[in-house]
Amino acid sequence: MRLHSLTLRNFRGVAERTVQLPAIGTTVVVGDNEVGKSSLVEAFALVFDFPDDSKSKRIADVQPVGHDVAPEVTVELTLGGRELTYTKRWLKNRSTELSVITPDGRRQTFTGREAHNEAERLFNENVDPVLWQTLMVSQGQSLILPTPADAEPLITAVTAESGTPVDGASMPLVSAVEHEFLRYWTPRGRPTGDFAKSAQAVTAAELRSAQAAKAMEEVVADIRRAERLALDLEDLTTRLAEHLKSVEELRVRKKETDEILLRRDSVRARAETARARLENHTRTRLERERLLSEVERFTLAAGELAELRAEADKVAKASTDTLHAAEAALAEVVELKDDRRGDVQHAEQRVSELMDRAELDRLTGQQTELADVRTRIAAASRVLDGIKVTDALVAELEDARAKVVEARAALAAGVPDVLVRRLGAAEVSLEGTGLDAHGADVPRQLAEGAELSMLVSGELHIGVPEQLEVTVRAGGDAASLRSLVDEAVRRETDLLKRAKVRDLPAARELLRKSDTASAELQEARRTERSLTAGGDPGERIALLAARLGVFGDEPAEEEAPKGKQQPAVENVPGQMSLFEEFAEDAFDFEDMVMPEPLAPDDLSGAQRALEDARAELATAERLLADAEFAAAQARKAADEDRSEAQQARARAELAAERVAAATAELESARAVLADEDVDASEEKATGEVEAVLDELTAVQEQVDAAGADRVEGELADALAVAGRLQGERDTLRDSLRTTEGRLEQSGRDGLATRQDTAELELSAVRAEHENLQRRAEAARRVHETLGRHRAAAQTKYSEPLQTRIEALGRSVYGPTFRVWLDDDLAVAERELDGNRLRIESLSTGAQEQLAIITRLAISHLVSTTENSVPVIFDDALGWSDKARLRDMGTLLGRAGDHGQVIILTCMPDRYEYVPKATFIKLQ
């Protein structure tokens, strides 16, 4: 059979389409989903299976929904050497027409039921139904491996190629043997009939005999078990008594070792006390050494100062004689020096004032920057508090948006897309349910010259008053598709409400703003921590302002003007706003009034003036020294010498006070502990520490020798073992009592009599079963002998198909490819690179590829017979990688050299490697 063309009219979603197919070669029919590729195969099946007056649901299903039209199919094909043109229309204006051109060129025409019957007869005569179903792979069935053992054309082809008859034995003999075999065995070799009942009777008798024997064995076992349990119980009781003695010994040992451990703890405590005492004595020694050193050092310094004092007094007495002569000159120099010292003090005051002003300016700028930073912190915090969008929520929104798009795409693909255009002046009204104008509102009236495209998932009524009314109804899946769209939109709306945004881009923008605000908040808080690292500058500003006399002009209690509110920093732990800290004093740092500075105004100038004043003061002091020296010439500088004497006296008195204080502290310490006792006390404490450590070492050796640290653990382990042995003893005692009870009950049940009766019954049923078994085994041996001969013949005639599959498969998988067929000529196992696997263990792609290779091999074998049929693949090779697609494409191209291969697909890229393929694009 060869298909030449197929024409569909009003068939599902196809208004009218004709597809021309080459009689030989590989043809790839390409089209999008829902374009009607699978309808071509369905139409070919319906045209031969159902007469034009059929009421079948399959015929009703192909009528377009909402259209009162007649589905129609026309097929042109070659069948058994005849050229057929077959047309059939169902439901409305039903008709059937068949045109047949015989091999000798005669044309025959048939109509109605006669045409249907003749087409059916020709199809059944020339097309083997098993072969047709084997080589036609419908959508979603590409993974099903063919089992073509009942395909007569294939059996004929392999028989002719192998030269082996299929039967292998005469049918009367085979039937007789099969009949006799089935008297005793099922087709799968299991006992049946009287033979199975006999086996069941033997099994039941054996069970009863075994139960009786088992009961007797259990009695014997209970006797032995009771004896063993009694011995075990006696042994365990002895072991337990011995172990309990060991436990008591450990208890006594623990009491003895507890005393050693208590003694060790006591020695350890005394050792700690001795160490602390030694540390105290060491500190006392170091302190005494320090006091002795200070008294010696202060006494030496006091002696030196006393000598200096005496010398100074001597010089002062010598200079008294010339004091009155130099008073006038000295007074003038002293006055000059005082003037110069006043200039220095004034300059120092000016430098200090300018430095305070510079520090105040710096702190004021820092406070202003801190206020700005805290304003930024508050603003960023308010932004973050107002944003409800998170990364997770945006991810949910993106998923919800994708689901809305998918649902609307599915709705657009599954419901009618209606385009309404108003051409004239007559009014056009639009009403209905489930209307979607691609996001726009559906008007009640269509304006003149306007057009509107909409998806109809419910029902649409288009009306032209007194002229036309059109109703468009969606199919059965429209409601579910619309509900999916509504659910997706509802979920997206709920998420948008949660995020408080109008759409996904707005959510993304808010998320971006949130990230920016978070970064701004972190940066501002770092800046705030930097500005307040040395403390809040507000207190220092207030002190400097009070020192400099800075005051504000405005009342402090006035409210801050709008738009310049003080920044809130409640969200910054541990920090306080400067404005909150000094709110009661109402200190306005921006309105501070600075006093007019004295010249010079700059700090560097003031420092230079200070240096000049100090230089002039130094000059005045030198003049004073000269005046004093001159007075000393006259009266030996009495005033200067007196001053020096007073200073020497003061230093000597201070040194004496230090000596007295150090001596008093030393005497106080000696009153507590004499010098000679300090070292002795430390040596004594050291000896005590060494003695107690020696004692601790000795006690620890006793602890180690007695194993005192291990006794408590050993006792706990021994108690645990004693508990376990007591539990085992109780368990053995209970088991012994239970076993003795069963033995007492068995003595009252008469088990020996029951065993004898069961053995007699078993002997009788065994004799009957052995008789039937001999006949059944004979029937099976004859059946198996004939089966082996038939299997050998079948193996021989399956070789052509196996060889053809392996030849095609090696072009894809390489030279190590092999297959094994089962009794139904289906591929059961595959070997590749020495790895042999069952078909079920292969990957999905490998199973699909092997199914395609098997069908191409079958097609190749029967291609030269009159019963050959096209190979049709609908949506195959969906699980193959690119390398396999290339190899399978080459194989499909070569398969077209021997017959007609038709491929239906919405993915033409899968078949771009098919050489010499004819591509037909369905629009």
Side-chain angles (χ1 to χ4, degrees), residues 229-282:
L229 289 172
L231 292 175
D232 292 345
L233 181 59
E234 182 180 356
D235 177 64
L236 187 60
T237 302
T238 302
R239 286 162 49 204
L240 177 59
E242 293 175 353
H243 186 74
L244 289 176
K245 290 179 182 178
S246 300
V247 171
E248 290 302 321
E249 292 174 357
L250 284 172
R251 284 198 176 104
V252 172
R253 184 180 167 195
K254 184 176 184 299
K255 290 180 180 179
E256 295 173 352
T257 57
D258 284 347
E259 295 177 359
I260 301 176
L261 293 174
L262 289 173
R263 188 159 61 253
R264 183 184 65 180
D265 293 340
S266 175
V267 173
R268 281 178 176 172
R270 286 193 288 111
E272 293 298 325
T273 302
R275 286 194 187 97
R277 189 181 300 114
L278 175 60
E279 291 175 357
N280 288 333
H281 285 298
T282 301

Short mmCIF file of all heavy atoms in Angstrom, two decimals, residues 229-282:
data_model
loop_
_atom_site.label_atom_id
_atom_site.label_comp_id
_atom_site.label_asym_id
_atom_site.label_seq_id
_atom_site.Cartn_x
_atom_site.Cartn_y
_atom_site.Cartn_z
N LEU A 229 17.28 -25.54 79.87
CA LEU A 229 16.95 -24.35 80.66
C LEU A 229 17.28 -24.56 82.14
O LEU A 229 17.75 -23.65 82.83
CB LEU A 229 15.48 -23.98 80.49
CG LEU A 229 15.08 -23.41 79.13
CD1 LEU A 229 13.57 -23.27 79.03
CD2 LEU A 229 15.75 -22.05 78.90
N ALA A 230 17.02 -25.77 82.66
CA ALA A 230 17.32 -26.04 84.07
C ALA A 230 18.81 -25.95 84.33
O ALA A 230 19.25 -25.36 85.33
CB ALA A 230 16.79 -27.43 84.46
N LEU A 231 19.61 -26.54 83.40
CA LEU A 231 21.07 -26.46 83.56
C LEU A 231 21.55 -25.01 83.45
O LEU A 231 22.40 -24.57 84.25
CB LEU A 231 21.74 -27.34 82.49
CG LEU A 231 21.52 -28.85 82.65
CD1 LEU A 231 22.14 -29.59 81.45
CD2 LEU A 231 22.14 -29.37 83.94
N ASP A 232 21.01 -24.30 82.44
CA ASP A 232 21.41 -22.89 82.27
C ASP A 232 21.04 -22.06 83.49
O ASP A 232 21.80 -21.17 83.91
CB ASP A 232 20.76 -22.30 81.02
CG ASP A 232 21.31 -22.93 79.74
OD1 ASP A 232 22.37 -23.58 79.83
OD2 ASP A 232 20.68 -22.75 78.67
N LEU A 233 19.84 -22.33 84.05
CA LEU A 233 19.40 -21.57 85.21
C LEU A 233 20.32 -21.82 86.41
O LEU A 233 20.70 -20.90 87.14
CB LEU A 233 17.96 -21.93 85.55
CG LEU A 233 17.34 -21.20 86.75
CD1 LEU A 233 17.35 -19.70 86.52
CD2 LEU A 233 15.92 -21.72 87.01
N GLU A 234 20.68 -23.10 86.60
CA GLU A 234 21.59 -23.44 87.71
C GLU A 234 22.95 -22.76 87.52
O GLU A 234 23.51 -22.17 88.46
CB GLU A 234 21.76 -24.95 87.78
CG GLU A 234 22.64 -25.41 88.95
CD GLU A 234 22.78 -26.92 88.98
OE1 GLU A 234 22.14 -27.61 88.13
OE2 GLU A 234 23.52 -27.43 89.83
N ASP A 235 23.47 -22.82 86.27
CA ASP A 235 24.77 -22.20 85.99
C ASP A 235 24.71 -20.68 86.19
O ASP A 235 25.62 -20.09 86.79
CB ASP A 235 25.19 -22.54 84.56
CG ASP A 235 26.49 -21.86 84.19
OD1 ASP A 235 27.54 -22.18 84.80
OD2 ASP A 235 26.46 -21.00 83.28
N LEU A 236 23.65 -20.07 85.71
CA LEU A 236 23.53 -18.62 85.82
C LEU A 236 23.37 -18.18 87.26
O LEU A 236 23.91 -17.15 87.70
CB LEU A 236 22.34 -18.13 84.98
CG LEU A 236 22.18 -16.62 84.86
CD1 LEU A 236 23.42 -16.02 84.22
CD2 LEU A 236 20.96 -16.28 84.01
N THR A 237 22.64 -18.98 88.06
CA THR A 237 22.46 -18.65 89.48
C THR A 237 23.81 -18.68 90.19
O THR A 237 24.13 -17.80 91.02
CB THR A 237 21.49 -19.64 90.13
OG1 THR A 237 20.24 -19.61 89.43
CG2 THR A 237 21.26 -19.28 91.59
N THR A 238 24.63 -19.69 89.85
CA THR A 238 25.97 -19.78 90.45
C THR A 238 26.83 -18.58 90.06
O THR A 238 27.50 -17.96 90.89
CB THR A 238 26.65 -21.08 90.00
OG1 THR A 238 25.82 -22.20 90.37
CG2 THR A 238 28.02 -21.22 90.64
N ARG A 239 26.81 -18.24 88.74
CA ARG A 239 27.59 -17.09 88.28
C ARG A 239 27.14 -15.80 88.94
O ARG A 239 27.96 -14.93 89.29
CB ARG A 239 27.47 -16.97 86.76
CG ARG A 239 28.27 -18.03 86.01
CD ARG A 239 27.81 -18.16 84.57
NE ARG A 239 27.71 -16.87 83.92
CZ ARG A 239 26.94 -16.62 82.87
NH1 ARG A 239 26.18 -17.58 82.38
NH2 ARG A 239 26.93 -15.42 82.33
N LEU A 240 25.81 -15.67 89.12
CA LEU A 240 25.28 -14.45 89.74
C LEU A 240 25.76 -14.34 91.19
O LEU A 240 26.15 -13.25 91.66
CB LEU A 240 23.75 -14.45 89.67
CG LEU A 240 23.05 -13.26 90.34
CD1 LEU A 240 23.49 -11.95 89.70
CD2 LEU A 240 21.53 -13.41 90.24
N ALA A 241 25.74 -15.47 91.93
CA ALA A 241 26.18 -15.42 93.32
C ALA A 241 27.65 -15.03 93.40
O ALA A 241 28.05 -14.21 94.25
CB ALA A 241 25.95 -16.79 93.97
N GLU A 242 28.48 -15.60 92.49
CA GLU A 242 29.89 -15.25 92.50
C GLU A 242 30.11 -13.78 92.15
O GLU A 242 30.95 -13.09 92.74
CB GLU A 242 30.65 -16.14 91.50
CG GLU A 242 30.67 -17.61 91.91
CD GLU A 242 31.33 -18.48 90.84
OE1 GLU A 242 31.63 -17.92 89.75
OE2 GLU A 242 31.55 -19.68 91.08
N HIS A 243 29.32 -13.30 91.17
CA HIS A 243 29.47 -11.89 90.78
C HIS A 243 29.03 -10.95 91.90
O HIS A 243 29.65 -9.89 92.10
CB HIS A 243 28.66 -11.62 89.52
CG HIS A 243 28.87 -10.25 88.97
ND1 HIS A 243 30.02 -9.87 88.31
CD2 HIS A 243 28.08 -9.14 89.01
CE1 HIS A 243 29.95 -8.63 87.97
NE2 HIS A 243 28.78 -8.14 88.38
N LEU A 244 27.99 -11.32 92.64
CA LEU A 244 27.54 -10.47 93.74
C LEU A 244 28.61 -10.38 94.83
O LEU A 244 28.75 -9.35 95.51
CB LEU A 244 26.23 -11.01 94.32
CG LEU A 244 25.00 -10.84 93.40
CD1 LEU A 244 23.77 -11.48 94.03
CD2 LEU A 244 24.73 -9.36 93.13
N LYS A 245 29.38 -11.48 95.02
CA LYS A 245 30.51 -11.41 95.96
C LYS A 245 31.53 -10.38 95.50
O LYS A 245 32.08 -9.60 96.29
CB LYS A 245 31.17 -12.78 96.07
CG LYS A 245 30.31 -13.83 96.77
CD LYS A 245 31.05 -15.17 96.82
CE LYS A 245 30.18 -16.25 97.50
NZ LYS A 245 30.89 -17.57 97.51
N SER A 246 31.79 -10.36 94.16
CA SER A 246 32.74 -9.38 93.63
C SER A 246 32.23 -7.96 93.84
O SER A 246 33.00 -7.04 94.13
CB SER A 246 32.96 -9.63 92.13
OG SER A 246 33.47 -10.93 91.91
N VAL A 247 30.90 -7.79 93.71
CA VAL A 247 30.31 -6.46 93.93
C VAL A 247 30.53 -6.01 95.37
O VAL A 247 30.90 -4.85 95.64
CB VAL A 247 28.80 -6.48 93.58
CG1 VAL A 247 28.14 -5.18 94.02
CG2 VAL A 247 28.60 -6.69 92.08
N GLU A 248 30.34 -6.91 96.32
CA GLU A 248 30.55 -6.56 97.73
C GLU A 248 32.01 -6.21 97.99
O GLU A 248 32.33 -5.28 98.74
CB GLU A 248 30.10 -7.72 98.62
CG GLU A 248 28.59 -7.92 98.64
CD GLU A 248 27.87 -6.67 99.11
OE1 GLU A 248 28.37 -5.99 100.04
OE2 GLU A 248 26.82 -6.34 98.53
N GLU A 249 32.90 -6.98 97.34
CA GLU A 249 34.32 -6.67 97.51
C GLU A 249 34.64 -5.28 96.99
O GLU A 249 35.42 -4.53 97.60
CB GLU A 249 35.16 -7.72 96.78
CG GLU A 249 35.08 -9.11 97.41
CD GLU A 249 35.82 -10.15 96.57
OE1 GLU A 249 36.32 -9.77 95.49
OE2 GLU A 249 35.89 -11.33 96.99
N LEU A 250 34.05 -4.91 95.85
CA LEU A 250 34.27 -3.58 95.30
C LEU A 250 33.69 -2.49 96.20
O LEU A 250 34.26 -1.39 96.32
CB LEU A 250 33.66 -3.48 93.90
CG LEU A 250 34.43 -4.17 92.79
CD1 LEU A 250 33.62 -4.18 91.49
CD2 LEU A 250 35.76 -3.45 92.55
N ARG A 251 32.56 -2.79 96.85
CA ARG A 251 31.97 -1.80 97.76
C ARG A 251 32.92 -1.54 98.94
O ARG A 251 33.14 -0.40 99.36
CB ARG A 251 30.61 -2.29 98.26
CG ARG A 251 29.49 -2.17 97.25
CD ARG A 251 28.14 -2.25 97.95
NE ARG A 251 27.05 -2.04 97.02
CZ ARG A 251 26.26 -2.99 96.54
NH1 ARG A 251 26.46 -4.25 96.91
NH2 ARG A 251 25.27 -2.71 95.71
N VAL A 252 33.46 -2.64 99.50
CA VAL A 252 34.40 -2.49 100.63
C VAL A 252 35.63 -1.72 100.17
O VAL A 252 36.13 -0.81 100.86
CB VAL A 252 34.80 -3.89 101.16
CG1 VAL A 252 35.91 -3.75 102.19
CG2 VAL A 252 33.59 -4.58 101.77
N ARG A 253 36.13 -2.06 98.97
CA ARG A 253 37.31 -1.38 98.44
C ARG A 253 37.04 0.11 98.21
O ARG A 253 37.90 0.95 98.45
CB ARG A 253 37.73 -2.05 97.15
CG ARG A 253 39.00 -1.51 96.55
CD ARG A 253 39.32 -2.24 95.28
NE ARG A 253 40.35 -1.55 94.52
CZ ARG A 253 40.63 -1.80 93.25
NH1 ARG A 253 39.96 -2.73 92.59
NH2 ARG A 253 41.58 -1.13 92.62
N LYS A 254 35.81 0.42 97.76
CA LYS A 254 35.47 1.83 97.52
C LYS A 254 35.46 2.63 98.82
O LYS A 254 35.92 3.77 98.88
CB LYS A 254 34.09 1.94 96.84
CG LYS A 254 33.70 3.38 96.48
CD LYS A 254 32.40 3.41 95.73
CE LYS A 254 32.08 4.84 95.30
NZ LYS A 254 31.95 5.74 96.45
N LYS A 255 34.97 2.00 99.92
CA LYS A 255 34.99 2.70 101.21
C LYS A 255 36.42 3.00 101.64
O LYS A 255 36.72 4.07 102.17
CB LYS A 255 34.29 1.85 102.27
CG LYS A 255 32.77 1.75 102.08
CD LYS A 255 32.15 0.90 103.15
CE LYS A 255 30.64 0.78 102.96
NZ LYS A 255 30.01 -0.09 104.00
N GLU A 256 37.31 2.01 101.38
CA GLU A 256 38.71 2.24 101.77
C GLU A 256 39.35 3.34 100.92
O GLU A 256 40.08 4.19 101.43
CB GLU A 256 39.49 0.93 101.58
CG GLU A 256 39.02 -0.19 102.53
CD GLU A 256 39.70 -1.51 102.21
OE1 GLU A 256 40.40 -1.57 101.18
OE2 GLU A 256 39.53 -2.47 102.99
N THR A 257 39.09 3.33 99.64
CA THR A 257 39.70 4.33 98.76
C THR A 257 39.07 5.71 98.92
O THR A 257 39.72 6.72 98.63
CB THR A 257 39.58 3.89 97.29
OG1 THR A 257 38.19 3.68 96.97
CG2 THR A 257 40.35 2.61 97.03
N ASP A 258 37.82 5.77 99.39
CA ASP A 258 37.18 7.09 99.60
C ASP A 258 37.98 7.90 100.64
O ASP A 258 38.10 9.12 100.53
CB ASP A 258 35.73 6.92 100.07
CG ASP A 258 34.82 6.53 98.91
OD1 ASP A 258 35.27 6.65 97.75
OD2 ASP A 258 33.68 6.10 99.16
N GLU A 259 38.53 7.19 101.68
CA GLU A 259 39.31 7.89 102.69
C GLU A 259 40.58 8.50 102.07
O GLU A 259 40.97 9.63 102.38
CB GLU A 259 39.68 6.93 103.82
CG GLU A 259 38.47 6.40 104.59
CD GLU A 259 38.88 5.38 105.64
OE1 GLU A 259 40.11 5.10 105.73
OE2 GLU A 259 37.99 4.89 106.36
N ILE A 260 41.22 7.72 101.17
CA ILE A 260 42.43 8.24 100.51
C ILE A 260 42.09 9.45 99.65
O ILE A 260 42.82 10.46 99.64
CB ILE A 260 43.08 7.12 99.67
CG1 ILE A 260 43.44 5.94 100.55
CG2 ILE A 260 44.32 7.64 98.95
CD1 ILE A 260 44.00 4.76 99.77
N LEU A 261 40.98 9.37 98.92
CA LEU A 261 40.58 10.48 98.07
C LEU A 261 40.26 11.73 98.87
O LEU A 261 40.60 12.86 98.48
CB LEU A 261 39.37 10.08 97.21
CG LEU A 261 39.62 8.99 96.16
CD1 LEU A 261 38.32 8.59 95.49
CD2 LEU A 261 40.62 9.48 95.11
N LEU A 262 39.60 11.52 100.07
CA LEU A 262 39.31 12.68 100.92
C LEU A 262 40.60 13.29 101.43
O LEU A 262 40.74 14.53 101.51
CB LEU A 262 38.42 12.24 102.10
CG LEU A 262 36.97 11.90 101.76
CD1 LEU A 262 36.25 11.34 102.97
CD2 LEU A 262 36.25 13.15 101.26
N ARG A 263 41.59 12.45 101.78
CA ARG A 263 42.87 12.97 102.24
C ARG A 263 43.58 13.75 101.13
O ARG A 263 44.17 14.80 101.36
CB ARG A 263 43.75 11.81 102.73
CG ARG A 263 45.04 12.29 103.42
CD ARG A 263 45.65 11.24 104.32
NE ARG A 263 46.02 10.05 103.60
CZ ARG A 263 45.38 8.87 103.65
NH1 ARG A 263 44.30 8.77 104.44
NH2 ARG A 263 45.80 7.81 102.98
N ARG A 264 43.48 13.24 99.88
CA ARG A 264 44.09 13.96 98.76
C ARG A 264 43.43 15.31 98.55
O ARG A 264 44.10 16.33 98.31
CB ARG A 264 43.98 13.12 97.48
CG ARG A 264 44.66 13.76 96.27
CD ARG A 264 44.44 12.95 95.02
NE ARG A 264 43.02 12.93 94.65
CZ ARG A 264 42.55 12.29 93.57
NH1 ARG A 264 43.38 11.60 92.79
NH2 ARG A 264 41.27 12.29 93.29
N ASP A 265 42.11 15.35 98.66
CA ASP A 265 41.40 16.63 98.49
C ASP A 265 41.82 17.62 99.57
O ASP A 265 42.00 18.82 99.32
CB ASP A 265 39.89 16.41 98.54
CG ASP A 265 39.39 15.60 97.36
OD1 ASP A 265 40.12 15.53 96.34
OD2 ASP A 265 38.29 15.03 97.45
N SER A 266 42.02 17.10 100.84
CA SER A 266 42.43 17.98 101.93
C SER A 266 43.83 18.54 101.69
O SER A 266 44.08 19.74 101.87
CB SER A 266 42.40 17.20 103.26
OG SER A 266 42.91 18.00 104.30
N VAL A 267 44.74 17.67 101.22
CA VAL A 267 46.11 18.13 100.95
C VAL A 267 46.11 19.14 99.81
O VAL A 267 46.85 20.13 99.85
CB VAL A 267 47.01 16.92 100.63
CG1 VAL A 267 48.39 17.38 100.18
CG2 VAL A 267 47.14 16.03 101.86
N ARG A 268 45.29 18.90 98.80
CA ARG A 268 45.20 19.85 97.68
C ARG A 268 44.75 21.23 98.18
O ARG A 268 45.28 22.27 97.76
CB ARG A 268 44.22 19.34 96.63
CG ARG A 268 44.80 18.28 95.71
CD ARG A 268 43.76 17.80 94.74
NE ARG A 268 44.31 16.84 93.79
CZ ARG A 268 43.59 16.14 92.91
NH1 ARG A 268 42.27 16.28 92.90
NH2 ARG A 268 44.18 15.30 92.08
N ALA A 269 43.74 21.24 99.09
CA ALA A 269 43.26 22.53 99.63
C ALA A 269 44.36 23.23 100.41
O ALA A 269 44.56 24.46 100.29
CB ALA A 269 42.04 22.29 100.52
N ARG A 270 45.14 22.46 101.23
CA ARG A 270 46.23 23.07 102.00
C ARG A 270 47.33 23.58 101.06
O ARG A 270 47.97 24.61 101.32
CB ARG A 270 46.80 22.07 103.00
CG ARG A 270 45.84 21.85 104.18
CD ARG A 270 46.50 21.11 105.32
NE ARG A 270 46.72 19.70 105.02
CZ ARG A 270 47.92 19.16 104.85
NH1 ARG A 270 48.99 19.90 104.95
NH2 ARG A 270 48.05 17.86 104.59
N ALA A 271 47.53 22.87 99.94
CA ALA A 271 48.54 23.33 98.98
C ALA A 271 48.14 24.66 98.36
O ALA A 271 48.98 25.57 98.20
CB ALA A 271 48.74 22.27 97.89
N GLU A 272 46.87 24.81 98.04
CA GLU A 272 46.40 26.08 97.48
C GLU A 272 46.56 27.20 98.49
O GLU A 272 46.98 28.33 98.17
CB GLU A 272 44.94 25.95 97.04
CG GLU A 272 44.71 25.02 95.86
CD GLU A 272 45.42 25.52 94.63
OE1 GLU A 272 45.51 26.75 94.43
OE2 GLU A 272 45.89 24.66 93.85
N THR A 273 46.26 26.90 99.78
CA THR A 273 46.39 27.92 100.83
C THR A 273 47.85 28.32 101.01
O THR A 273 48.19 29.51 101.16
CB THR A 273 45.83 27.38 102.15
OG1 THR A 273 44.46 27.00 101.96
CG2 THR A 273 45.92 28.43 103.25
N ALA A 274 48.75 27.32 100.97
CA ALA A 274 50.18 27.61 101.14
C ALA A 274 50.69 28.46 99.98
O ALA A 274 51.50 29.38 100.18
CB ALA A 274 50.97 26.30 101.24
N ARG A 275 50.24 28.16 98.77
CA ARG A 275 50.66 28.97 97.61
C ARG A 275 50.21 30.41 97.78
O ARG A 275 50.95 31.37 97.47
CB ARG A 275 50.09 28.38 96.32
CG ARG A 275 50.76 27.10 95.86
CD ARG A 275 50.37 26.79 94.42
NE ARG A 275 50.86 25.49 93.99
CZ ARG A 275 50.15 24.37 93.99
NH1 ARG A 275 48.90 24.41 94.42
NH2 ARG A 275 50.67 23.23 93.57
N ALA A 276 48.94 30.61 98.19
CA ALA A 276 48.44 31.97 98.38
C ALA A 276 49.25 32.71 99.46
O ALA A 276 49.58 33.90 99.32
CB ALA A 276 46.96 31.92 98.77
N ARG A 277 49.61 31.99 100.57
CA ARG A 277 50.38 32.62 101.64
C ARG A 277 51.76 33.02 101.12
O ARG A 277 52.28 34.10 101.44
CB ARG A 277 50.50 31.65 102.82
CG ARG A 277 51.10 32.30 104.07
CD ARG A 277 51.22 31.30 105.21
NE ARG A 277 49.92 30.78 105.58
CZ ARG A 277 49.56 29.50 105.43
NH1 ARG A 277 50.42 28.64 104.91
NH2 ARG A 277 48.37 29.09 105.80
N LEU A 278 52.39 32.16 100.31
CA LEU A 278 53.70 32.45 99.75
C LEU A 278 53.63 33.69 98.84
O LEU A 278 54.53 34.55 98.89
CB LEU A 278 54.22 31.25 98.97
CG LEU A 278 55.54 31.46 98.21
CD1 LEU A 278 56.67 31.82 99.19
CD2 LEU A 278 55.91 30.19 97.42
N GLU A 279 52.59 33.79 98.05
CA GLU A 279 52.44 34.96 97.18
C GLU A 279 52.33 36.23 98.02
O GLU A 279 52.89 37.29 97.66
CB GLU A 279 51.21 34.78 96.29
CG GLU A 279 51.38 33.69 95.23
CD GLU A 279 50.11 33.45 94.45
OE1 GLU A 279 49.09 34.12 94.77
OE2 GLU A 279 50.11 32.60 93.53
N ASN A 280 51.60 36.19 99.15
CA ASN A 280 51.46 37.37 100.02
C ASN A 280 52.82 37.78 100.59
O ASN A 280 53.19 38.97 100.63
CB ASN A 280 50.48 37.09 101.15
CG ASN A 280 49.05 37.01 100.66
OD1 ASN A 280 48.72 37.63 99.64
ND2 ASN A 280 48.21 36.27 101.35
N HIS A 281 53.60 36.82 101.08
CA HIS A 281 54.91 37.12 101.65
C HIS A 281 55.87 37.66 100.59
O HIS A 281 56.69 38.55 100.87
CB HIS A 281 55.50 35.86 102.30
CG HIS A 281 54.86 35.52 103.61
ND1 HIS A 281 54.89 36.35 104.73
CD2 HIS A 281 54.13 34.43 104.00
CE1 HIS A 281 54.23 35.79 105.73
NE2 HIS A 281 53.74 34.61 105.30
N THR A 282 55.76 37.16 99.37
CA THR A 282 56.61 37.67 98.29
C THR A 282 56.27 39.13 97.99
O THR A 282 57.16 39.98 97.79
CB THR A 282 56.43 36.82 97.03
OG1 THR A 282 56.80 35.46 97.33
CG2 THR A 282 57.32 37.33 95.90
#
